[in-house]
Amino acid sequence: MSERPRRFFLALIGLTLLFAAFGPAIGGVLFAPIVVLLAAPHGAEAAGSVGGFAAVFGHGLALVFAYVVGIGPAAAAGFVYGLWDAAAPAGAPRALAAAIIGGAITYCVFLWFASIGAAFEASVGADVSAEFRTWIEPWFPRGFDGTLRDGLIACGAVAGLACAMAASLIGLTTQGALAPAPAPPAPSGGG
C-alpha cells in the first residue's frame, strides 16, 4: 500500500476514534444545560424545575447513557466528517461542517428512537407515556418531544464542532491525503 492511502486511512480511523471518544462526553455534559435553556422561555420556574430534575439524576448517569447511546452516532459522525474533510476544498469551514454532520446524525438517531417508541406503544396497545406527559408537558413551551429533539440535535452539533476543533488543534486531518502526487519534473534535454 502506498503512503498516501495509508495516511488517509490512519487519519480517518483517528478522526472516527476521536469523535467516538469525546463526542458522547461533550453531548452528555451539555444536554441538561441546553434543555434548561430551551425550556427557559416558558419561565424561570420551568427552568428551575428542569434544572432540579437534571440535578437529581446527575451528570454521571447522563454520561453513562450518553456513551451507551451516543458512541455509535459519534463514530459515524467522525467517519463522515473524515470523508468530507478529504473531499472538501482547502478553504471550506471544517468545524461548521462537523457541526452540521453531528446535528444531522443525531436527528436521524432521534427519529430512529422515536419510531422504536411508537412501535412499542402500538404493540402494547396503550399510551404508555400518557401519565408522564401530563406531568412534564406543562414545563416545556413546545412540548417535551420538541424540546428533547432540539436539545439532542444541539448537543450533537456542539459535540461535532468541538471534536473537529480538537482534531484541528492536534493536526488530525484527511485533507490532501488522497490528492494526486505532483508529477516529477520533466528531464531536461540539454546536450
Side-chain angles (χ1 to χ4, degrees):
M1 184 185 271
S2 73
E3 184 62 32
R4 287 182 181 271
R6 182 178 306 149
R7 190 175 79 114
F8 169 75
F9 286 117
L10 287 176
L12 185 62
I13 291 169
L15 284 169
T16 303
L17 292 175
L18 177 92
F19 274 65
F22 295 112
I26 294 167
V29 166
L30 293 177
F31 180 71
I34 286 176
V35 170
V36 168
L37 288 174
L38 290 174
H42 191 61
E45 180 181 334
S49 299
V50 173
F53 180 73
V56 168
F57 288 103
H59 274 92
L61 181 62
L63 284 177
V64 170
F65 183 71
Y67 271 99
V68 168
V69 172
I71 197 163
F79 184 79
V80 172
Y81 171 73
L83 295 177
W84 183 87
D85 187 35
R94 276 144 169 73
L96 178 62
I100 292 169
I101 291 167
I105 289 177
T106 304
Y107 181 64
C108 291
V109 170
F110 172 80
L111 291 177
W112 182 60
F113 279 129
S115 68
I116 289 173
F120 175 75
E121 285 186 353
S123 68
V124 171
D127 189 7
V128 175
S129 61
E131 191 64 36
F132 178 73
R133 286 184 189 279
T134 60
W135 178 69
I136 203 162
E137 281 289 338
W139 293 350
F140 297 94
R142 294 174 300 184
F144 179 71
D145 291 343
T147 305
L148 176 67
R149 179 197 64 227
D150 295 347
L152 285 172
I153 292 169
C155 287
V158 170
L161 176 81
C163 288
M165 293 173 76
S168 176
L169 283 174
I170 62 174
L172 185 58
T173 182
T174 57
Q175 183 180 11
L178 292 180
S188 62

